[in-house]
Amino acid sequence: MILPPCGLLFALTLAAPLVSHAQQHPRDREIHDADTLAWWHTTEALSNDGMEGRDTGSAAYQRAAEYVAGRFKAAGLEPAGENGSYFQSVPMHESSVTPEGTSFTLVGHGSETALIFLQQISIAPADDLPPKLEAPLVFRGYCGKDVMADIAGKVVVCFGTQRAGLPTGQMRAANARDGGALGLINVDDPYFTIEPPRWPYAYARTVTLRLPTAAITPPAPLAAMRLSAEAFATLLAGTGQDADAILKLGGAKRPLPNFEIPRNIRIRLHVAQRDIASPNVLAKLRGTDSGLRDEYVVIAAHLDGYGFGTLVYGDNLYNGTLDDAAYVALLIQMGNDIKSHRLRHPKRSILFAAFTGEEKGLLGSHWFADHPTVPAAQLAADVNLDQLRPLFPLNILTAEALADTTLGETARIVAKPLHIEIRADAETERNLLRRADQYPFLTMHVPAISFIFGYDPNTDAERRYREWYQIRYHRPQDDITQPMDFAAAAKFNTFFYRLVETIADAPVRPAIYPTSSFAANKH
C-alpha cells in the first residue's frame, strides 16, 4: 500500500522536534522516548512516498541529498565535500535494459516459449550487449573451468551457486568468456535459504563509476543472465532432464551432469545508456582535543535506494526505509544530540557520510576512498550503518570484520553493559562484508566495522529476520508501515552513540591486526 508523504512536514522544518497529539505521525504511539521518536520522524521524511525511493542519479535522490545537507547544517556540522559544500559529486554511467522492446524466447521442438523479463529472467545491462542474439543452449553444472568444453558460440547454463568451495559468479563468467560463449545463464539455487532468491527484479540496470577510458580494460562481451528456479523447469521441458533433481543436487553441492539442451534462446534487447552524477553528502564535526582532532572517525550510511521498479503486491515504489534511510537518519540524530549536549562533543573529529550508489555496487564509498575529502592518513576508523533490521529484541549483534581490527574488542566492551552479545558472522557465504560501504575503507587499510541484528537458530527472532529477507528486502514492502521493534531500535541507537564516543575519545587510535587480510603488509 502506498501512503501519503506524511514525513514531508519534517522535510520543511530541517529539524525533527516532538509534535502535538493532533500532529502525531501514524506510529508515534509505538515509540516511548524522545530521541527515538525524532530519529523515526527523520526516517519517515527520508523514505515516505514523496522521496520516491531515492534512486541513484534521480531528481528524488538529489532532493534527499539536499535535505540531508540541510539537516547536517542545522546540526552545526561543517561542510566536508567539494568546494566548501556538503556534496561530493560522483560521476557515473548507467546502462539499462528496458522491458519495452525486450524479450527472451525458447525456440525448439517446433514451438516457442516466452520467458517473462524481470519475473523469470533478467540480464546484466552493458553497453556492448547486442540488440539481437540467438544461440544454442548447453548445461555445464557449476561451470568450473574443467567442464566448459564445446561452448563457443553458445549460451551456457550454470547452477548459480553461492556456496563455498564451488566456482563463484565471477569465475563462471570468466570461464564462459574463455570458452567463447556468447551468453551465460545462472540458475537460482532455491536451497540457499540463508538468503533466498527474490523475484521479481526491480529493474535491469547497471551503474558504474565513469572513469577515464584509458583506465578501463573491458572484458569480452558476454550476455550474463539470471533465471529463476521455477523457470529452469520451463527451459528443460521436453529434454528428458529433471530440473528439480538437478536443483536438489546443486543445493547439496553434489556432482552435476553436463548436457546439450536441444533448443535455442532468442534474445531481443532494448539497451539505453546515459551519463549521470550523484553526490555523497559529507559533513564534519571538529574534535575538542588538540592532539586528536586531526584524526577522523567516519560514521556512514547509504542514502540511495531503488526508486520505482517492477510492481510487487500492487506497489512499485521501493521506499528503502530500513535499507537505508533509517540509518542516514541516525547520523542526523547523532549530530543533533551533540549540538544539544545530549551527547558529548568528541575528542577526535567525526566525518558524517551519506554515500550514494551503494545499491549499484558501493559506488559512492569507492569514489570517496579514491578521492577522500580529508587526508586519507587521517581516517582513524569507519563505523558503517547498513543491514540493520530492528524487528525483534536486541540481544545479539553480528559484526562484520570482527576479528580484523581492534574495533571488534571495542564493540564488545561497549555492548556488555547493554547486555548485547557481539558475534562473528556465521553466514559468510552471503559475503556481507564486501557488500556494504565498510569494505572500501578496509581495502584502504582503515579499520572498519558494521553490524547486523543477530539471533539464535530456530527462534522467533530468526523467523522474523528470514521473513524480512523473503518479503521486504529490496522490495516496496520495506516502507514506513512495516513491523518494527522500536525498543530494539532505541537500544541499537544507544549502542551506536556509545561506540562512536568510545572510539573518538580513546587515547589510542584503532588498528587493523597484522594477521588480517586487510593489513597494509598483506598488499
Side-chain angles (χ1 to χ4, degrees), residues 162 164 192-196 387 398-400 423-435 452-458 462 465-466 469:
Q162 299 180 59
F192 193 69
T193 56
I194 60 175
E195 190 171 328
Q387 308 175 104
T398 294
E400 296 297 337
R423 294 182 182 175
D425 188 353
E427 299 176 346
T428 54
E429 287 174 311
R430 293 176 65 195
N431 204 25
L432 295 180
L433 173 63
R434 290 169 170 78
R435 286 170 53 185
I452 305 161
F453 272 54
Y455 47 82
D456 286 317
N458 304 313
E462 181 180 18
Y465 183 88
R466 303 292 186 205
Y469 270 92

PDB file of all heavy atoms in Angstrom, residues 162 164 192-196 387 398-400 423-435 452-458 462 465-466 469:
ATOM      1  N   GLN A 162      26.161 -19.967  -4.622  1.00  0.00           N
ATOM      2  CA  GLN A 162      26.922 -19.010  -3.834  1.00  0.00           C
ATOM      3  C   GLN A 162      27.711 -19.726  -2.740  1.00  0.00           C
ATOM      4  O   GLN A 162      28.249 -19.090  -1.835  1.00  0.00           O
ATOM      5  CB  GLN A 162      25.978 -17.988  -3.177  1.00  0.00           C
ATOM      6  CG  GLN A 162      25.178 -17.166  -4.169  1.00  0.00           C
ATOM      7  CD  GLN A 162      24.276 -16.172  -3.470  1.00  0.00           C
ATOM      8  OE1 GLN A 162      24.725 -15.316  -2.722  1.00  0.00           O
ATOM      9  NE2 GLN A 162      22.979 -16.281  -3.704  1.00  0.00           N
ATOM     10  N   ALA A 164      30.484 -21.960  -0.644  1.00  0.00           N
ATOM     11  CA  ALA A 164      31.950 -22.016  -0.565  1.00  0.00           C
ATOM     12  C   ALA A 164      32.468 -23.288  -1.218  1.00  0.00           C
ATOM     13  O   ALA A 164      31.837 -24.347  -1.174  1.00  0.00           O
ATOM     14  CB  ALA A 164      32.384 -21.965   0.899  1.00  0.00           C
ATOM     15  N   PHE A 192      19.483 -22.281  -1.148  1.00  0.00           N
ATOM     16  CA  PHE A 192      20.325 -21.321  -0.426  1.00  0.00           C
ATOM     17  C   PHE A 192      19.396 -20.459   0.428  1.00  0.00           C
ATOM     18  O   PHE A 192      19.125 -19.303   0.143  1.00  0.00           O
ATOM     19  CB  PHE A 192      21.120 -20.470  -1.422  1.00  0.00           C
ATOM     20  CG  PHE A 192      22.232 -19.670  -0.788  1.00  0.00           C
ATOM     21  CD1 PHE A 192      23.350 -20.291  -0.265  1.00  0.00           C
ATOM     22  CD2 PHE A 192      22.155 -18.284  -0.724  1.00  0.00           C
ATOM     23  CE1 PHE A 192      24.382 -19.547   0.307  1.00  0.00           C
ATOM     24  CE2 PHE A 192      23.176 -17.530  -0.150  1.00  0.00           C
ATOM     25  CZ  PHE A 192      24.296 -18.178   0.367  1.00  0.00           C
ATOM     26  N   THR A 193      18.910 -21.052   1.510  1.00  0.00           N
ATOM     27  CA  THR A 193      17.820 -20.448   2.273  1.00  0.00           C
ATOM     28  C   THR A 193      18.276 -19.311   3.182  1.00  0.00           C
ATOM     29  O   THR A 193      17.441 -18.558   3.680  1.00  0.00           O
ATOM     30  CB  THR A 193      17.112 -21.513   3.121  1.00  0.00           C
ATOM     31  OG1 THR A 193      18.074 -22.174   3.957  1.00  0.00           O
ATOM     32  CG2 THR A 193      16.425 -22.540   2.227  1.00  0.00           C
ATOM     33  N   ILE A 194      19.599 -19.165   3.421  1.00  0.00           N
ATOM     34  CA  ILE A 194      20.034 -18.068   4.285  1.00  0.00           C
ATOM     35  C   ILE A 194      19.845 -16.708   3.606  1.00  0.00           C
ATOM     36  O   ILE A 194      19.785 -15.690   4.279  1.00  0.00           O
ATOM     37  CB  ILE A 194      21.498 -18.247   4.751  1.00  0.00           C
ATOM     38  CG1 ILE A 194      22.462 -18.291   3.573  1.00  0.00           C
ATOM     39  CG2 ILE A 194      21.642 -19.467   5.632  1.00  0.00           C
ATOM     40  CD1 ILE A 194      23.919 -18.340   3.990  1.00  0.00           C
ATOM     41  N   GLU A 195      19.729 -16.714   2.288  1.00  0.00           N
ATOM     42  CA  GLU A 195      19.305 -15.510   1.570  1.00  0.00           C
ATOM     43  C   GLU A 195      18.630 -15.961   0.283  1.00  0.00           C
ATOM     44  O   GLU A 195      19.258 -16.061  -0.770  1.00  0.00           O
ATOM     45  CB  GLU A 195      20.475 -14.570   1.264  1.00  0.00           C
ATOM     46  CG  GLU A 195      19.992 -13.232   0.753  1.00  0.00           C
ATOM     47  CD  GLU A 195      21.109 -12.200   0.648  1.00  0.00           C
ATOM     48  OE1 GLU A 195      22.052 -12.240   1.455  1.00  0.00           O
ATOM     49  OE2 GLU A 195      21.028 -11.343  -0.243  1.00  0.00           O
ATOM     50  N   PRO A 196      17.337 -16.262   0.371  1.00  0.00           N
ATOM     51  CA  PRO A 196      16.660 -16.892  -0.761  1.00  0.00           C
ATOM     52  C   PRO A 196      16.591 -15.979  -1.970  1.00  0.00           C
ATOM     53  O   PRO A 196      16.537 -14.752  -1.840  1.00  0.00           O
ATOM     54  CB  PRO A 196      15.253 -17.176  -0.199  1.00  0.00           C
ATOM     55  CG  PRO A 196      15.090 -16.212   0.924  1.00  0.00           C
ATOM     56  CD  PRO A 196      16.449 -16.021   1.511  1.00  0.00           C
ATOM     57  N   GLN A 387      22.284  -2.889   6.730  1.00  0.00           N
ATOM     58  CA  GLN A 387      21.912  -4.268   7.025  1.00  0.00           C
ATOM     59  C   GLN A 387      21.340  -4.426   8.433  1.00  0.00           C
ATOM     60  O   GLN A 387      21.325  -5.523   8.986  1.00  0.00           O
ATOM     61  CB  GLN A 387      23.117  -5.208   6.810  1.00  0.00           C
ATOM     62  CG  GLN A 387      23.752  -5.026   5.434  1.00  0.00           C
ATOM     63  CD  GLN A 387      25.012  -5.837   5.213  1.00  0.00           C
ATOM     64  OE1 GLN A 387      24.966  -6.838   4.518  1.00  0.00           O
ATOM     65  NE2 GLN A 387      26.118  -5.419   5.788  1.00  0.00           N
ATOM     66  N   THR A 398      25.630  -9.301  15.179  1.00  0.00           N
ATOM     67  CA  THR A 398      26.700  -9.849  14.348  1.00  0.00           C
ATOM     68  C   THR A 398      27.541  -8.679  13.847  1.00  0.00           C
ATOM     69  O   THR A 398      26.992  -7.656  13.423  1.00  0.00           O
ATOM     70  CB  THR A 398      26.108 -10.619  13.156  1.00  0.00           C
ATOM     71  OG1 THR A 398      25.412 -11.760  13.636  1.00  0.00           O
ATOM     72  CG2 THR A 398      27.203 -11.052  12.188  1.00  0.00           C
ATOM     73  N   ALA A 399      28.853  -8.825  13.915  1.00  0.00           N
ATOM     74  CA  ALA A 399      29.752  -7.761  13.469  1.00  0.00           C
ATOM     75  C   ALA A 399      30.590  -8.258  12.295  1.00  0.00           C
ATOM     76  O   ALA A 399      31.209  -9.319  12.375  1.00  0.00           O
ATOM     77  CB  ALA A 399      30.657  -7.303  14.604  1.00  0.00           C
ATOM     78  N   GLU A 400      30.600  -7.474  11.221  1.00  0.00           N
ATOM     79  CA  GLU A 400      31.467  -7.773  10.090  1.00  0.00           C
ATOM     80  C   GLU A 400      32.871  -7.254  10.382  1.00  0.00           C
ATOM     81  O   GLU A 400      33.041  -6.199  10.990  1.00  0.00           O
ATOM     82  CB  GLU A 400      30.921  -7.137   8.818  1.00  0.00           C
ATOM     83  CG  GLU A 400      29.562  -7.678   8.384  1.00  0.00           C
ATOM     84  CD  GLU A 400      29.582  -9.153   8.038  1.00  0.00           C
ATOM     85  OE1 GLU A 400      30.658  -9.687   7.702  1.00  0.00           O
ATOM     86  OE2 GLU A 400      28.517  -9.790   8.125  1.00  0.00           O
ATOM     87  N   ARG A 423      28.847 -11.097  18.089  1.00  0.00           N
ATOM     88  CA  ARG A 423      29.249 -12.371  17.485  1.00  0.00           C
ATOM     89  C   ARG A 423      29.833 -12.140  16.092  1.00  0.00           C
ATOM     90  O   ARG A 423      29.495 -11.171  15.411  1.00  0.00           O
ATOM     91  CB  ARG A 423      28.048 -13.315  17.349  1.00  0.00           C
ATOM     92  CG  ARG A 423      27.463 -13.793  18.658  1.00  0.00           C
ATOM     93  CD  ARG A 423      26.324 -14.763  18.392  1.00  0.00           C
ATOM     94  NE  ARG A 423      25.692 -15.218  19.616  1.00  0.00           N
ATOM     95  CZ  ARG A 423      24.609 -15.997  19.647  1.00  0.00           C
ATOM     96  NH1 ARG A 423      24.047 -16.401  18.497  1.00  0.00           N
ATOM     97  NH2 ARG A 423      24.092 -16.373  20.796  1.00  0.00           N
ATOM     98  N   ALA A 424      30.646 -13.097  15.675  1.00  0.00           N
ATOM     99  CA  ALA A 424      31.170 -13.098  14.304  1.00  0.00           C
ATOM    100  C   ALA A 424      30.076 -13.557  13.342  1.00  0.00           C
ATOM    101  O   ALA A 424      29.104 -14.215  13.738  1.00  0.00           O
ATOM    102  CB  ALA A 424      32.380 -14.009  14.201  1.00  0.00           C
ATOM    103  N   ASP A 425      30.229 -13.221  12.085  1.00  0.00           N
ATOM    104  CA  ASP A 425      29.281 -13.611  11.043  1.00  0.00           C
ATOM    105  C   ASP A 425      29.288 -15.124  10.887  1.00  0.00           C
ATOM    106  O   ASP A 425      30.323 -15.728  10.583  1.00  0.00           O
ATOM    107  CB  ASP A 425      29.669 -12.932   9.727  1.00  0.00           C
ATOM    108  CG  ASP A 425      28.634 -13.120   8.633  1.00  0.00           C
ATOM    109  OD1 ASP A 425      27.671 -13.881   8.829  1.00  0.00           O
ATOM    110  OD2 ASP A 425      28.796 -12.490   7.562  1.00  0.00           O
ATOM    111  N   ALA A 426      28.131 -15.750  11.077  1.00  0.00           N
ATOM    112  CA  ALA A 426      28.017 -17.199  10.928  1.00  0.00           C
ATOM    113  C   ALA A 426      27.560 -17.598   9.528  1.00  0.00           C
ATOM    114  O   ALA A 426      27.414 -18.787   9.247  1.00  0.00           O
ATOM    115  CB  ALA A 426      27.035 -17.748  11.961  1.00  0.00           C
ATOM    116  N   GLU A 427      27.314 -16.625   8.658  1.00  0.00           N
ATOM    117  CA  GLU A 427      26.823 -16.901   7.309  1.00  0.00           C
ATOM    118  C   GLU A 427      27.729 -16.230   6.279  1.00  0.00           C
ATOM    119  O   GLU A 427      27.296 -15.423   5.463  1.00  0.00           O
ATOM    120  CB  GLU A 427      25.381 -16.424   7.161  1.00  0.00           C
ATOM    121  CG  GLU A 427      24.432 -17.125   8.117  1.00  0.00           C
ATOM    122  CD  GLU A 427      23.009 -16.593   8.055  1.00  0.00           C
ATOM    123  OE1 GLU A 427      22.793 -15.515   7.469  1.00  0.00           O
ATOM    124  OE2 GLU A 427      22.116 -17.256   8.607  1.00  0.00           O
ATOM    125  N   THR A 428      29.001 -16.580   6.323  1.00  0.00           N
ATOM    126  CA  THR A 428      29.984 -15.891   5.480  1.00  0.00           C
ATOM    127  C   THR A 428      29.739 -16.111   3.992  1.00  0.00           C
ATOM    128  O   THR A 428      30.211 -15.318   3.170  1.00  0.00           O
ATOM    129  CB  THR A 428      31.406 -16.344   5.842  1.00  0.00           C
ATOM    130  OG1 THR A 428      31.486 -17.780   5.767  1.00  0.00           O
ATOM    131  CG2 THR A 428      31.764 -15.919   7.262  1.00  0.00           C
ATOM    132  N   GLU A 429      28.994 -17.157   3.621  1.00  0.00           N
ATOM    133  CA  GLU A 429      28.714 -17.390   2.202  1.00  0.00           C
ATOM    134  C   GLU A 429      27.867 -16.272   1.590  1.00  0.00           C
ATOM    135  O   GLU A 429      27.853 -16.101   0.367  1.00  0.00           O
ATOM    136  CB  GLU A 429      27.998 -18.736   2.026  1.00  0.00           C
ATOM    137  CG  GLU A 429      28.914 -19.940   2.226  1.00  0.00           C
ATOM    138  CD  GLU A 429      28.145 -21.242   2.183  1.00  0.00           C
ATOM    139  OE1 GLU A 429      27.119 -21.363   2.859  1.00  0.00           O
ATOM    140  OE2 GLU A 429      28.581 -22.158   1.452  1.00  0.00           O
ATOM    141  N   ARG A 430      27.201 -15.482   2.430  1.00  0.00           N
ATOM    142  CA  ARG A 430      26.430 -14.356   1.898  1.00  0.00           C
ATOM    143  C   ARG A 430      27.342 -13.195   1.500  1.00  0.00           C
ATOM    144  O   ARG A 430      26.906 -12.262   0.838  1.00  0.00           O
ATOM    145  CB  ARG A 430      25.410 -13.893   2.938  1.00  0.00           C
ATOM    146  CG  ARG A 430      24.326 -14.909   3.208  1.00  0.00           C
ATOM    147  CD  ARG A 430      23.411 -14.434   4.318  1.00  0.00           C
ATOM    148  NE  ARG A 430      22.685 -13.241   3.923  1.00  0.00           N
ATOM    149  CZ  ARG A 430      22.050 -12.447   4.775  1.00  0.00           C
ATOM    150  NH1 ARG A 430      22.070 -12.714   6.075  1.00  0.00           N
ATOM    151  NH2 ARG A 430      21.406 -11.383   4.350  1.00  0.00           N
ATOM    152  N   ASN A 431      28.584 -13.231   1.970  1.00  0.00           N
ATOM    153  CA  ASN A 431      29.574 -12.231   1.555  1.00  0.00           C
ATOM    154  C   ASN A 431      29.167 -10.812   1.945  1.00  0.00           C
ATOM    155  O   ASN A 431      29.443  -9.838   1.235  1.00  0.00           O
ATOM    156  CB  ASN A 431      29.794 -12.307   0.041  1.00  0.00           C
ATOM    157  CG  ASN A 431      31.142 -11.776  -0.381  1.00  0.00           C
ATOM    158  OD1 ASN A 431      32.101 -11.773   0.402  1.00  0.00           O
ATOM    159  ND2 ASN A 431      31.237 -11.319  -1.599  1.00  0.00           N
ATOM    160  N   LEU A 432      28.526 -10.665   3.121  1.00  0.00           N
ATOM    161  CA  LEU A 432      28.030  -9.349   3.535  1.00  0.00           C
ATOM    162  C   LEU A 432      29.158  -8.365   3.807  1.00  0.00           C
ATOM    163  O   LEU A 432      28.967  -7.159   3.668  1.00  0.00           O
ATOM    164  CB  LEU A 432      27.148  -9.495   4.778  1.00  0.00           C
ATOM    165  CG  LEU A 432      25.847 -10.276   4.585  1.00  0.00           C
ATOM    166  CD1 LEU A 432      25.078 -10.352   5.896  1.00  0.00           C
ATOM    167  CD2 LEU A 432      24.985  -9.657   3.498  1.00  0.00           C
ATOM    168  N   LEU A 433      30.316  -8.862   4.194  1.00  0.00           N
ATOM    169  CA  LEU A 433      31.442  -7.960   4.461  1.00  0.00           C
ATOM    170  C   LEU A 433      31.766  -7.111   3.248  1.00  0.00           C
ATOM    171  O   LEU A 433      32.061  -5.917   3.372  1.00  0.00           O
ATOM    172  CB  LEU A 433      32.671  -8.777   4.872  1.00  0.00           C
ATOM    173  CG  LEU A 433      33.981  -8.000   5.032  1.00  0.00           C
ATOM    174  CD1 LEU A 433      33.868  -6.969   6.136  1.00  0.00           C
ATOM    175  CD2 LEU A 433      35.138  -8.952   5.313  1.00  0.00           C
ATOM    176  N   ARG A 434      31.698  -7.698   2.058  1.00  0.00           N
ATOM    177  CA  ARG A 434      32.077  -6.999   0.828  1.00  0.00           C
ATOM    178  C   ARG A 434      30.895  -6.356   0.128  1.00  0.00           C
ATOM    179  O   ARG A 434      31.063  -5.768  -0.930  1.00  0.00           O
ATOM    180  CB  ARG A 434      32.789  -7.979  -0.116  1.00  0.00           C
ATOM    181  CG  ARG A 434      34.170  -8.377   0.382  1.00  0.00           C
ATOM    182  CD  ARG A 434      34.746  -9.545  -0.408  1.00  0.00           C
ATOM    183  NE  ARG A 434      36.143  -9.764  -0.080  1.00  0.00           N
ATOM    184  CZ  ARG A 434      36.574 -10.384   1.020  1.00  0.00           C
ATOM    185  NH1 ARG A 434      35.690 -10.835   1.909  1.00  0.00           N
ATOM    186  NH2 ARG A 434      37.856 -10.553   1.255  1.00  0.00           N
ATOM    187  N   ARG A 435      29.722  -6.446   0.722  1.00  0.00           N
ATOM    188  CA  ARG A 435      28.517  -5.934   0.072  1.00  0.00           C
ATOM    189  C   ARG A 435      28.022  -4.623   0.669  1.00  0.00           C
ATOM    190  O   ARG A 435      26.925  -4.180   0.339  1.00  0.00           O
ATOM    191  CB  ARG A 435      27.400  -6.983   0.148  1.00  0.00           C
ATOM    192  CG  ARG A 435      27.594  -8.143  -0.799  1.00  0.00           C
ATOM    193  CD  ARG A 435      26.620  -9.278  -0.534  1.00  0.00           C
ATOM    194  NE  ARG A 435      25.231  -8.859  -0.498  1.00  0.00           N
ATOM    195  CZ  ARG A 435      24.229  -9.681  -0.178  1.00  0.00           C
ATOM    196  NH1 ARG A 435      24.489 -10.949   0.138  1.00  0.00           N
ATOM    197  NH2 ARG A 435      22.981  -9.231  -0.170  1.00  0.00           N
ATOM    198  N   ILE A 452      24.819  -6.330  12.242  1.00  0.00           N
ATOM    199  CA  ILE A 452      23.557  -6.909  11.811  1.00  0.00           C
ATOM    200  C   ILE A 452      22.852  -7.415  13.063  1.00  0.00           C
ATOM    201  O   ILE A 452      23.496  -8.002  13.943  1.00  0.00           O
ATOM    202  CB  ILE A 452      23.796  -8.085  10.837  1.00  0.00           C
ATOM    203  CG1 ILE A 452      24.657  -7.638   9.651  1.00  0.00           C
ATOM    204  CG2 ILE A 452      22.476  -8.680  10.356  1.00  0.00           C
ATOM    205  CD1 ILE A 452      25.311  -8.783   8.916  1.00  0.00           C
ATOM    206  N   PHE A 453      21.549  -7.206  13.172  1.00  0.00           N
ATOM    207  CA  PHE A 453      20.814  -7.780  14.295  1.00  0.00           C
ATOM    208  C   PHE A 453      20.930  -9.304  14.234  1.00  0.00           C
ATOM    209  O   PHE A 453      20.595  -9.925  13.232  1.00  0.00           O
ATOM    210  CB  PHE A 453      19.340  -7.368  14.228  1.00  0.00           C
ATOM    211  CG  PHE A 453      19.050  -6.068  14.918  1.00  0.00           C
ATOM    212  CD1 PHE A 453      19.761  -4.925  14.603  1.00  0.00           C
ATOM    213  CD2 PHE A 453      18.067  -5.985  15.894  1.00  0.00           C
ATOM    214  CE1 PHE A 453      19.500  -3.713  15.240  1.00  0.00           C
ATOM    215  CE2 PHE A 453      17.790  -4.790  16.533  1.00  0.00           C
ATOM    216  CZ  PHE A 453      18.507  -3.652  16.216  1.00  0.00           C
ATOM    217  N   GLY A 454      21.409  -9.906  15.326  1.00  0.00           N
ATOM    218  CA  GLY A 454      21.655 -11.340  15.356  1.00  0.00           C
ATOM    219  C   GLY A 454      20.580 -12.099  16.115  1.00  0.00           C
ATOM    220  O   GLY A 454      19.695 -11.515  16.753  1.00  0.00           O
ATOM    221  N   TYR A 455      20.673 -13.419  16.059  1.00  0.00           N
ATOM    222  CA  TYR A 455      19.639 -14.286  16.626  1.00  0.00           C
ATOM    223  C   TYR A 455      20.233 -15.671  16.835  1.00  0.00           C
ATOM    224  O   TYR A 455      21.258 -16.046  16.242  1.00  0.00           O
ATOM    225  CB  TYR A 455      18.447 -14.393  15.661  1.00  0.00           C
ATOM    226  CG  TYR A 455      18.890 -14.671  14.248  1.00  0.00           C
ATOM    227  CD1 TYR A 455      19.200 -15.963  13.826  1.00  0.00           C
ATOM    228  CD2 TYR A 455      19.080 -13.627  13.356  1.00  0.00           C
ATOM    229  CE1 TYR A 455      19.659 -16.204  12.543  1.00  0.00           C
ATOM    230  CE2 TYR A 455      19.543 -13.853  12.071  1.00  0.00           C
ATOM    231  CZ  TYR A 455      19.831 -15.148  11.677  1.00  0.00           C
ATOM    232  OH  TYR A 455      20.304 -15.381  10.412  1.00  0.00           O
ATOM    233  N   ASP A 456      19.596 -16.446  17.674  1.00  0.00           N
ATOM    234  CA  ASP A 456      19.923 -17.859  17.820  1.00  0.00           C
ATOM    235  C   ASP A 456      19.074 -18.659  16.841  1.00  0.00           C
ATOM    236  O   ASP A 456      17.947 -18.255  16.503  1.00  0.00           O
ATOM    237  CB  ASP A 456      19.659 -18.334  19.246  1.00  0.00           C
ATOM    238  CG  ASP A 456      20.704 -17.820  20.225  1.00  0.00           C
ATOM    239  OD1 ASP A 456      21.902 -17.849  19.869  1.00  0.00           O
ATOM    240  OD2 ASP A 456      20.330 -17.395  21.333  1.00  0.00           O
ATOM    241  N   PRO A 457      19.588 -19.815  16.384  1.00  0.00           N
ATOM    242  CA  PRO A 457      18.825 -20.624  15.423  1.00  0.00           C
ATOM    243  C   PRO A 457      17.488 -21.079  15.996  1.00  0.00           C
ATOM    244  O   PRO A 457      17.339 -21.317  17.202  1.00  0.00           O
ATOM    245  CB  PRO A 457      19.750 -21.811  15.150  1.00  0.00           C
ATOM    246  CG  PRO A 457      21.115 -21.344  15.530  1.00  0.00           C
ATOM    247  CD  PRO A 457      20.919 -20.378  16.656  1.00  0.00           C
ATOM    248  N   ASN A 458      16.513 -21.193  15.109  1.00  0.00           N
ATOM    249  CA  ASN A 458      15.202 -21.765  15.428  1.00  0.00           C
ATOM    250  C   ASN A 458      14.462 -20.970  16.504  1.00  0.00           C
ATOM    251  O   ASN A 458      13.791 -21.541  17.366  1.00  0.00           O
ATOM    252  CB  ASN A 458      15.345 -23.230  15.853  1.00  0.00           C
ATOM    253  CG  ASN A 458      16.045 -24.067  14.808  1.00  0.00           C
ATOM    254  OD1 ASN A 458      15.712 -23.994  13.626  1.00  0.00           O
ATOM    255  ND2 ASN A 458      17.033 -24.844  15.231  1.00  0.00           N
ATOM    256  N   GLU A 462      14.912 -15.391  14.559  1.00  0.00           N
ATOM    257  CA  GLU A 462      15.357 -15.865  13.250  1.00  0.00           C
ATOM    258  C   GLU A 462      14.202 -15.875  12.262  1.00  0.00           C
ATOM    259  O   GLU A 462      14.372 -15.480  11.094  1.00  0.00           O
ATOM    260  CB  GLU A 462      15.970 -17.258  13.327  1.00  0.00           C
ATOM    261  CG  GLU A 462      16.439 -17.720  11.959  1.00  0.00           C
ATOM    262  CD  GLU A 462      17.063 -19.103  11.930  1.00  0.00           C
ATOM    263  OE1 GLU A 462      16.853 -19.871  12.882  1.00  0.00           O
ATOM    264  OE2 GLU A 462      17.754 -19.416  10.934  1.00  0.00           O
ATOM    265  N   TYR A 465      13.675 -12.404  11.034  1.00  0.00           N
ATOM    266  CA  TYR A 465      14.790 -11.993  10.176  1.00  0.00           C
ATOM    267  C   TYR A 465      14.651 -12.609   8.785  1.00  0.00           C
ATOM    268  O   TYR A 465      14.778 -11.913   7.770  1.00  0.00           O
ATOM    269  CB  TYR A 465      16.106 -12.423  10.822  1.00  0.00           C
ATOM    270  CG  TYR A 465      17.343 -12.006  10.068  1.00  0.00           C
ATOM    271  CD1 TYR A 465      17.942 -10.770  10.298  1.00  0.00           C
ATOM    272  CD2 TYR A 465      17.930 -12.849   9.125  1.00  0.00           C
ATOM    273  CE1 TYR A 465      19.088 -10.393   9.616  1.00  0.00           C
ATOM    274  CE2 TYR A 465      19.069 -12.473   8.437  1.00  0.00           C
ATOM    275  CZ  TYR A 465      19.644 -11.248   8.687  1.00  0.00           C
ATOM    276  OH  TYR A 465      20.775 -10.875   7.994  1.00  0.00           O
ATOM    277  N   ARG A 466      14.400 -13.912   8.711  1.00  0.00           N
ATOM    278  CA  ARG A 466      14.262 -14.583   7.411  1.00  0.00           C
ATOM    279  C   ARG A 466      13.063 -14.033   6.646  1.00  0.00           C
ATOM    280  O   ARG A 466      13.126 -13.837   5.428  1.00  0.00           O
ATOM    281  CB  ARG A 466      14.096 -16.089   7.605  1.00  0.00           C
ATOM    282  CG  ARG A 466      15.200 -16.787   8.362  1.00  0.00           C
ATOM    283  CD  ARG A 466      16.494 -16.814   7.616  1.00  0.00           C
ATOM    284  NE  ARG A 466      17.490 -17.612   8.319  1.00  0.00           N
ATOM    285  CZ  ARG A 466      18.791 -17.457   8.204  1.00  0.00           C
ATOM    286  NH1 ARG A 466      19.288 -16.531   7.393  1.00  0.00           N
ATOM    287  NH2 ARG A 466      19.636 -18.216   8.865  1.00  0.00           N
ATOM    288  N   TYR A 469      13.803 -10.819   4.786  1.00  0.00           N
ATOM    289  CA  TYR A 469      14.540 -11.011   3.535  1.00  0.00           C
ATOM    290  C   TYR A 469      13.654 -11.602   2.446  1.00  0.00           C
ATOM    291  O   TYR A 469      13.848 -11.335   1.261  1.00  0.00           O
ATOM    292  CB  TYR A 469      15.776 -11.877   3.764  1.00  0.00           C
ATOM    293  CG  TYR A 469      16.983 -11.036   4.116  1.00  0.00           C
ATOM    294  CD1 TYR A 469      17.305 -10.757   5.436  1.00  0.00           C
ATOM    295  CD2 TYR A 469      17.760 -10.462   3.124  1.00  0.00           C
ATOM    296  CE1 TYR A 469      18.375  -9.951   5.758  1.00  0.00           C
ATOM    297  CE2 TYR A 469      18.835  -9.650   3.432  1.00  0.00           C
ATOM    298  CZ  TYR A 469      19.140  -9.398   4.745  1.00  0.00           C
ATOM    299  OH  TYR A 469      20.194  -8.578   5.055  1.00  0.00           O
TER     300      TYR A 469
END
